[in-house]
Amino acid sequence: MKYLLFPLFMLGFTVIANAQTTGQILKKNKLDRFVARPMDDLLDTLSVNYGLRFVFERDSLHRYDVVERFFNEPLNKVLAKVCRQFDLHYWVDASGAIYILQDVDDLARLKQIAATIKPLPPPVKTVTAQADTTDEQDVEALYDKDGKRKREVSRKRAQPQALAVQKPVEPLPSPPENKVHLLVTVSGKVINQSSGEPLPSATVRVHDTPLSVSTNSDGAFTIFRVPSDTCTLDISFSGFQPYSFKLDPGKLVLPLVLGLYPSLSTLNEVTILGQKSGVMNTDVKKVGVLQLSPANLDKLPSLGEKDVMRAFQLMPGVGATNESSSGAYVRGGTPDQNLVVFDGFTIYQVDHLYGFFSAFNSNAIKDLQLFKGGFSAQYGGRLSSVTEINGKEGNKNNTIFGVDLSLLSVNAFMETPVTSNSSLVLAIRRSYQGPFYDKIFKQFNTSSGFSGGPGGPGGGPGGFGEQTTPASHFYDANIRYTNHLDQNDILTWSFYSGSDKTDNSRQLQLPSFLGSGTAPDITDYTKYGNLASSLKWFRQWNSSVYSNTYLTYSSYFNNRERGTTGGYTDDEGQEQSFSTSTVEKNNLYDIGIKSDWVWTMQNQLKLKYGVFASRQHINYDYVQNDTSHLINQHNTALLGGLFAELEYDPTNTLHLQPGIRMTQFGPTGRFYAEPRFSASYVLNDNYTLKFATGQFYQFMNEVTRDDIADGNRQFWVLSNNSSIPVGRSRHLMGGISYENDQFLLDIEGYYKWLNGLTQYTITQTGFGPGRGTPAIQEDFYSGTGRAKGIEVLLQKKLGNYTGWLSYTLADAENKFAVYGTNFYPADQDIRHEFKAINMYHYSRWNFAAVFIFSTGHPYTAPLSTYSITNADGTRQTYFNVSGKNAERLPDYHRLDLSATYDLLKINGDKIGSIGLSLFNVYNHVNTWYREYYLQNNAAVTTNVNYLGFTPNITLSLRWK
C-alpha cells in the first residue's frame, strides 16, 4: 500500500509551481502509450497524472483528435508533436501554467479569462491500495470558450483498481495575533532564468508598499527596512514575465537569486517608452535619460541590421538626418562631444561604412543608456552627452549560436558556458560587396553637378560622369569572458576590434565649355578603426557596498590618402600634366584605470564615489607629395581625479542628486571642478517635474579641418596650455511629463553655454595644377558657442498600434573671432526636426513606418573665383566665399517602411525573424554635402547625395 497525492491542477485552479518546476516535469516525465482521444481530453489526463496546469479554450481543442503512439517520449516532446500536428503553440508562463495557443496573440486574452475563473475546491489526500483491474474515476471540469464552468462529470476508464479513503486537507493555522514584524534588509540579484545573465534596471518592489529599487548594471539590488521576512517581492523587466517571490527567513541567509522568464515574443501590448518594458525607456527620476533594449530593435526599420545608435536618433533631441554617421548629435553637440563607453573603455569612432552601421554589434550588447545632458558626476571628459554600453555576459546554461544575414553584411555570434561559473560571448560582423552593395554605393556616390565661370556659379551643364563603385568593407569583433570567482566576485574581460577600409576613387568628367584637357582622376583611400579592451573586477563587499574596478585600453586610427592627377592647357596652348597627393594619419592611444563604488546607506540615500587616472597620446601627421611633412604633432597628457555623488529621496515624490567631479590635467597643470545637480518632483500619479544643471570639461577634441574643395576632415587633438584650450560647457535643462496607462507627453527644454571650442584651418599656397610647390600654414582658433532648444514627445504605449511623435525646435551657434564678431550657425545646427514613429503588431507580424523631416544643414559656399599673377608669371586661383555657414542645404525628409515576421518554436520561443525594409520609399534626393573643384578659373559645384530608395532583406536565426 502507498500514499498518493491526487492533484486537481485544472483550468482556474491556484497553483504554487513556477515555470522552473513545470519545465522539470515536462523534461523528466515520459509517456509510453497509444493515445486516441480529443486533444482537450489528453491535456486533462496529463494535468491529473503529472500535476500540470493547462489553460486553453475547450471547445476549440475538443475538435482535434489525437491518434498517436508515443514511445517513452518526454512530455515536452509530446506537447511539441501534438501542437505541431494542429498548428498550435504552447507557452509556459512564470506561474507554471501551460497555455495552449491557436494564435500567439491569444495569450493575453487567455490570461484574462483564467484570472476570472473561480478556483476548484481544495485537493484531497487519497490513500490508495493496488487491487484488481477496475475503473478509475478521472474528475474533469468543463468550461465554455468564455471560461465559465459548465459542469463536472466523471468518466470511467479501464485502469488498475484504486481503493481510496479521502479526507480534506487540513487548513493551515492562522498566524498568531500581534506578531512582531522585524525590519529586514533584502539583497540579491535578478537574472534571466533561461541564460543565467543578470538583468540591469529590473524593478524590484515590496508588495503593497512604496518600497522599490532598480537593479544595477550587474543585476544586483538592496532594499532596506523591509517590513517582514515573509513579504512578497514583485519583480519586472522589459521583455520578461513579471514574477512574485515570497520571502521566508531561510531564504534570507544568503543573497537572493531571482530568475525571470522571457515573455512571449509576440505579445500585442508593447510599451515603447515609460516603465522599462520596450524599445526605448526613460527614468522618471532623471532628465534627458534614454534607456534602450537591443532585443526589441527589430521592430524598427533599418537599412542594414538592427542598430543601437540609429535607434537613439529616432528620439527628440538626437539628430536623425546624418545618414553618413551613427554618431550622436545631441542637443546641438557634435559626436566628439559625446562620451561613448563600452564595458569601461572609450570608443572614439562609433560608425562603419559611412554611418550605415554603428560600431556596436547588437548581439553583443546587454543594455545601453544615453544621457542627453546634465549627466552624473561619474562621467566626465565630454561637453554634451554620454552613451554607456554594457556587453552581454553570455548564456551560462546552454550554448547558443546565431546569425543575421542581410544584403549588406553577415553577423554571427555564439554564447556558451565555459565552466559551471564562467561564460563566453563571441560576435563577429563583416560587410560584403554584392549586387545590392554596388547599387547602394553607386547611388550613394552619385552626384549632381552644376558649374559656373568667374564671378559665381551659373546654371550651365556639367558635373561628374561615370564613377567607380567604392571597394569598401568593414569588420568588427567582440569577445567577452565572464568568470564568477565566488559569490561576491566577478571577473570580466572584454575585447573589441573594428576597422573600415574605403576607396572612394573616381573620375571627374568636366563640362565641355571649360576647355580641353584630361579629366582629373581622384584617388581617395581611407582606413580607420578602433582597438580596445578592459578587465573589470566586480566586488560585492557586503549587502550595502559594491565596486567596479577597471583596467582599460583604447586606441583609434584614421589614415587617408588623397590624390589628383590630370592635364590642362596652359596660356600658350601647351598640354601640361599635374599630380598632387596628401597623406593624413591620426592615431590615439588611451590607457586608464578607474574604480567606481556604490554605498547604499538606506532606501532613500545612496553614495556613489570613485577615482580615475589615464594616459593619452595623440599623433597627427600631414604629408604632401610624399616629401613635405607639413604637420607633425605628437602630444601626451596625464589626467586623474575623483568624483562623489549623492542620490537622496527625502520623500517618495522628491529625488535629489548633487555631485562633484575633480580632474587634474597634466598639460595645463590645473584642477578642474565640475559641480553637478539634478532633481525630480512627482506632483501626482501623472505629472513629474525634472531639472538638471552642471559644469563639464573636455580635454581632447576632434577638430574640423575646414576644406571647401575636398570636404571637411576631422582629427583628434589634445588640449594644451597655448593654442588648444580645454573645452567647457554649462548645462541648464528642465521639463515636465504627463503619463497614464496609454499615453506619455514629455516636454523638455535646455540651454548650454560653451567655451574653449577649437576651429582648425590651413592656409595653402600653390594650390592647383602648375602653381608651384604647395605649402601649408596651420592655425587653431578658439571660440564660444551656445545651444538652446525645446523638445516635445507624444507617445502611445499600449495596444496593437504604438509609436511616438517628436518635435525639436533648436538653435546651435558658434562664435570665432576669425569669422567675425557675431554668432553664426554651427555645422550641426538644425532649426526644426519632426519624427513620426509608427508600429503595428498583428500576430507574428510587426510593421513600422518612420517619417523624418528637418530643415537643412548650414554650409559655407564659394561665391566667386579670382586669379592673381605671381612675380614668376604663374597665376593662382582662389575662392571668394560666403559668410561662415551662411548658406543652407535643402530641407531633408524621407519615409522608411518595414515588415518583420517572427519565427517561433512550438513552445513559443523565438528562433529568428525575416524582415523587409524599404529606405527612403518615395526616393527623395537629400544632399549630404557639396564639393567644389577649380578648373580654368571656374568653380565646378557637386552635390554629393544621400541614398535614394533602397530595399533590404534581413534573416535572423538562433540555435541551441
Side-chain angles (χ1 to χ4, degrees):
M1 179 179 296
K2 60 182 179 179
Y3 295 86
L4 300 176
L5 181 63
F6 190 75
L8 295 178
F9 296 120
M10 305 293 286
L11 178 63
F13 186 78
T14 304
V15 294
I16 305 173
N18 58 24
Q20 186 173 9
T21 304
T22 300
Q24 293 173 351
I25 294 173
L26 292 175
K27 289 180 180 179
K28 292 182 178 180
N29 291 278
K30 298 181 179 181
L31 192 65
D32 187 12
R33 68 175 62 180
F34 177 77
V35 174
R37 60 181 65 181
M39 185 169 180
D40 63 324
D41 193 8
L42 172 62
L43 297 179
D44 291 340
T45 303
L46 296 178
S47 175
V48 171
N49 291 344
Y50 300 101
L52 297 169
R53 179 193 179 199
F54 291 94
V55 182
F56 57 89
E57 286 185 342
R58 184 169 296 279
D59 291 347
S60 300
L61 267 60
H62 186 71
R63 68 175 184 266
Y64 298 131
D65 291 321
V66 179
V67 181
E68 190 73 38
R69 179 67 173 91
F70 297 102
F71 295 93
N72 203 31
E73 299 179 45
L75 295 185
N76 59 352
K77 292 188 177 181
V78 171
L79 275 180
K81 182 180 293 187
V82 172
C83 289
R84 188 179 297 109
Q85 180 180 354
F86 302 113
D87 197 23
L88 301 171
H89 291 271
Y90 75 90
W91 177 253
V92 181
D93 80 347
S95 70
I98 305 172
Y99 289 82
I100 306 299
L101 309 172
Q102 294 179 286
D103 190 282
V104 289
D105 279 340
D106 288 341
L107 180 59
R109 183 170 56 85
L110 287 178
K111 282 190 172 183
Q112 292 176 351
I113 293 175
T116 63
I117 297 174
K118 295 181 180 179
L120 291 175
V124 294
K125 288 185 178 180
T126 305
V127 181
T128 64
Q130 193 69 33
D132 298 333
T133 301
T134 180
D135 293 330
E136 179 192 54
Q137 291 187 344
D138 285 348
V139 181
E140 175 187 349
L142 297 183
Y143 301 87
D144 59 23
K145 63 180 180 180
D146 295 323
K148 296 180 180 179
R149 181 156 47 191
K150 295 195 297 186
R151 65 186 186 280
E152 291 187 3
V153 299
S154 295
R155 279 195 282 223
K156 296 183 178 180
R157 300 185 182 88
Q159 295 289 346
Q161 183 182 23
L163 303 178
V165 179
Q166 299 180 344
K167 62 179 181 179
V169 176
E170 295 181 1
L172 294 175
S174 301
E177 296 182 3
N178 302 322
K179 179 180 178 180
V180 177
H181 293 278
L182 300 177
L183 296 177
V184 297
T185 298
V186 178
S187 62
K189 180 180 289 189
V190 178
I191 66 169
N192 179 340
Q193 187 66 48
S194 300
S195 66
E197 281 195 285
L199 298 179
S201 299
T203 299
V204 182
R205 184 182 301 275
V206 181
H207 190 69
D208 285 338
T209 75
L211 296 177
S212 69
V213 296
S214 294
T215 59
N216 62 23
S217 60
D218 296 288
F221 70 93
T222 299
I223 309 178
F224 294 94
R225 300 181 65 81
V226 175
S228 170
D229 55 11
T230 58
C231 285
T232 298
L233 301 181
D234 297 325
I235 306 101
S236 60
F237 183 69
S238 169
F240 287 76
Q241 302 176 54
Y243 179 64
S244 294
F245 181 83
K246 183 67 180 254
L247 297 175
D248 67 52
K251 296 174 181 176
L252 296 177
V253 176
L254 297 175
L256 301 174
V257 178
L258 306 177
L260 296 184
Y261 288 87
S263 61
L264 189 60
S265 307
T266 53
L267 283 178
N268 61 350
E269 292 189 353
V270 181
T271 303
I272 305 304
L273 186 72
Q275 304 302 322
K276 299 181 178 65
S277 54
V279 175
M280 207 85 65
N281 308 306
T282 60
D283 190 330
V284 70
K285 294 183 178 181
K286 298 176 182 178
V287 59
V289 178
L290 298 175
Q291 299 169 329
L292 187 148
S293 173
N296 294 323
L297 288 181
D298 53 4
K299 295 180 174 64
L300 299 173
S302 61
L303 178 61
E305 59 183 46
K306 55 186 182 181
D307 194 302
V308 293
M309 299 299 286
R310 288 287 186 189
F312 277 139
Q313 295 179 2
L314 299 179
M315 300 302 291
V318 186
T321 59
N322 300 284
E323 292 178 29
S324 60
S325 174
S326 292
Y329 290 82
V330 181
R331 291 182 171 175
T334 55
D336 73 298
Q337 295 173 359
N338 179 37
L339 175 65
V340 181
V341 180
F342 189 116
D343 281 348
F345 53 76
T346 302
I347 295 294
Y348 290 90
Q349 182 69 36
V350 299
D351 54 28
H352 289 306
L353 218 63
Y354 294 106
F356 292 153
F357 296 81
S358 77
F360 308 108
N361 189 334
S362 61
N363 290 323
I365 295 174
K366 178 173 58 177
D367 73 293
L368 65 162
Q369 298 184 88
L370 172 64
F371 301 84
K372 293 193 289 183
F375 43 87
S376 163
Q378 181 179 355
Y379 308 100
R382 294 296 186 273
L383 299 182
S384 181
S385 60
V386 173
T387 302
E388 182 189 39
I389 306 174
N390 293 305
K392 286 183 178 179
E393 283 196 7
N395 196 306
K396 300 175 184 176
N397 302 326
N398 301 287
T399 298
I400 296 178
F401 299 92
V403 62
D404 297 329
L405 296 172
S406 76
L407 299 180
L408 284 174
S409 65
V410 59
N411 183 346
F413 76 94
M414 177 187 72
E415 299 178 34
T416 183
V418 178
T419 66
S420 60
N421 296 319
S422 64
S423 59
L424 177 70
V425 176
L426 174 64
I428 300 175
R429 286 191 301 175
R430 194 188 193 281
S431 65
Y432 49 83
Q433 196 160 341
F436 181 64
Y437 181 101
D438 293 341
K439 176 185 182 301
I440 282 184
F441 284 94
K442 282 181 180 178
Q443 194 173 22
F444 186 77
N445 282 282
T446 296
S447 308
S448 54
F450 57 92
S451 60
F464 290 102
E466 294 294 322
Q467 300 179 46
T468 302
T469 300
S472 307
H473 72 270
F474 78 86
Y475 91 92
D476 60 39
N478 291 85
I479 304 174
R480 197 175 197 266
Y481 173 75
T482 304
N483 191 333
H484 291 252
L485 302 176
D486 54 39
Q487 183 178 326
N488 297 316
D489 297 272
I490 303 174
L491 193 65
T492 301
W493 172 64
S494 182
F495 172 83
Y496 172 83
S497 176
S499 178
D500 279 67
K501 295 181 180 180
T502 303
D503 186 356
N504 274 334
S505 302
R506 57 190 182 273
Q507 185 178 50
L508 186 68
Q509 186 65 43
L510 297 176
S512 58
F513 67 85
L514 289 181
S516 61
T518 305
D521 288 320
I522 298 175
T523 59
D524 194 351
Y525 176 77
T526 303
K527 182 178 180 180
Y528 61 86
N530 303 276
L531 179 67
S533 184
S534 68
L535 186 65
K536 182 182 82 167
W537 171 39
F538 169 84
R539 169 71 176 179
Q540 186 78 45
W541 298 93
N542 54 50
S543 61
S544 302
V545 179
Y546 70 88
S547 65
N548 283 297
T549 302
Y550 297 85
L551 292 174
T552 63
Y553 169 82
S554 181
S555 65
Y556 162 78
F557 65 91
N558 191 333
N559 304 324
R560 186 190 191 193
E561 298 177 13
R562 183 178 173 92
T564 304
T565 59
Y568 66 98
T569 304
D570 62 19
D571 294 339
E572 299 178 356
Q574 300 295 318
E575 294 293 328
Q576 303 290 338
S577 62
F578 64 90
S579 176
T580 63
S581 65
T582 60
V583 176
E584 290 181 83
K585 294 183 178 181
N586 189 204
N587 296 279
L588 184 155
Y589 305 93
D590 186 349
I591 301 173
I593 181 172
K594 60 181 178 179
S595 186
D596 300 335
W597 293 65
V598 178
W599 178 16
T600 305
M601 303 178 188
Q602 51 184 282
N603 292 329
Q604 296 81 20
L605 188 61
K606 182 185 295 184
L607 174 64
K608 296 181 178 180
Y609 56 97
V611 295
F612 56 90
S614 66
R615 178 186 184 274
Q616 296 158 346
H617 180 78
I618 296 180
N619 300 321
Y620 178 56
D621 297 283
Y622 190 173
V623 180
Q624 197 156 28
N625 292 333
D626 297 328
T627 57
S628 302
H629 209 124
L630 304 176
I631 302 175
N632 185 10
Q633 297 182 6
H634 303 278
N635 300 304
T636 300
L638 297 175
L639 63 84
L642 52 86
F643 74 90
E645 184 174 72
L646 278 176
E647 291 188 13
Y648 179 46
D649 297 323
T651 69
N652 291 331
T653 58
L654 180 61
H655 175 78
L656 304 175
Q657 192 166 328
I660 183 76
R661 185 179 181 92
M662 297 291 296
T663 303
Q664 201 277 342
F665 185 60
T668 63
R670 287 182 51 196
F671 279 92
Y672 297 84
E674 302 174 73
R676 317 278 176 86
F677 178 76
S678 64
S680 65
Y681 182 70
V682 179
L683 296 173
N684 54 41
D685 290 341
N686 301 115
Y687 288 95
T688 302
L689 296 175
K690 297 175 283 188
F691 170 81
T693 187
Q695 182 160 289
F696 309 86
Y697 288 98
Q698 183 160 338
F699 305 100
M700 63 168 62
N701 304 275
E702 190 177 35
V703 300
T704 299
R705 179 173 63 78
D706 203 359
D707 192 331
I708 295 175
D710 296 335
N712 294 347
R713 289 282 293 167
Q714 290 81 33
F715 61 96
W716 287 92
V717 295
L718 278 168
S719 298
N720 53 35
N721 221 356
S722 55
S723 59
I724 308 174
V726 173
R728 185 186 68 183
S729 69
R730 293 188 177 122
H731 295 186
L732 181 65
M733 56 191 64
I736 183 172
S737 64
Y738 171 84
E739 184 173 14
N740 58 28
D741 291 340
Q742 291 289 328
F743 293 95
L744 169 71
L745 175 62
D746 188 80
I747 301 174
E748 290 188 6
Y750 64 91
Y751 198 104
K752 298 195 291 189
W753 298 264
L754 300 101
N755 291 285
L757 300 181
T758 301
Q759 183 75 49
Y760 176 82
T761 62
I762 57 173
T763 303
Q764 179 168 310
T765 60
F767 178 77
R771 312 306 183 195
T773 302
I776 280 183
Q777 176 182 335
E778 56 175 339
D779 295 291
F780 289 94
Y781 300 104
S782 178
T784 61
R786 61 191 182 192
K788 57 182 180 292
I790 186 169
E791 304 163 1
V792 181
L793 173 70
L794 175 62
Q795 181 240 348
K796 183 178 184 296
K797 301 190 298 181
L798 298 178
N800 286 348
Y801 168 73
T802 56
W804 63 85
L805 303 175
S806 76
Y807 169 71
T808 302
L809 173 64
D811 185 18
E813 298 178 311
N814 291 338
K815 182 170 68 174
F816 286 81
V818 67
Y819 300 120
T821 59
N822 298 322
F823 281 93
Y824 61 86
D827 293 346
Q828 67 277 8
D829 177 60
I830 297 177
R831 196 58 45 86
H832 303 277
E833 187 171 55
F834 172 79
K835 305 166 190 173
I837 287 78
N838 305 269
M839 292 176 285
Y840 183 78
H841 169 84
Y842 176 75
S843 187
R844 298 200 211 176
W845 289 95
N846 288 286
F847 302 95
V850 173
F851 176 75
I852 298 172
F853 170 87
S854 79
T855 50
H857 288 260
Y859 73 102
T860 304
L863 301 178
S864 62
T865 62
Y866 64 95
S867 298
I868 296 177
T869 302
N870 298 321
D872 60 0
T874 61
R875 294 175 61 83
Q876 291 180 265
T877 304
Y878 299 92
F879 288 120
N880 279 319
V881 299
S882 66
K884 178 65 174 176
N885 286 346
E887 305 295 326
R888 291 267 177 180
L889 295 174
D891 292 343
Y892 179 104
H893 54 90
R894 76 172 197 262
L895 172 67
D896 304 335
L897 301 176
S898 71
T900 305
Y901 182 76
D902 289 332
L903 304 175
L904 303 180
K905 287 183 177 180
I906 294 300
N907 67 355
D909 288 342
K910 185 174 178 179
I911 58 171
S913 63
I914 300 175
L916 170 67
S917 63
L918 305 176
F919 183 86
N920 197 355
V921 172
Y922 52 85
N923 200 33
H924 179 69
V925 177
N926 291 303
T927 302
W928 180 8
Y929 64 91
R930 286 178 172 167
E931 278 189 344
Y932 302 92
Y933 184 81
L934 288 174
Q935 180 75 7
N936 296 341
N937 295 335
V940 179
T941 305
T942 302
N943 286 336
V944 180
N945 301 322
Y946 286 123
L947 282 174
F949 171 67
T950 306
N952 193 20
I953 297 175
T954 57
L955 172 64
S956 298
L957 297 174
R958 305 290 184 265
W959 299 277
K960 283 188 179 181

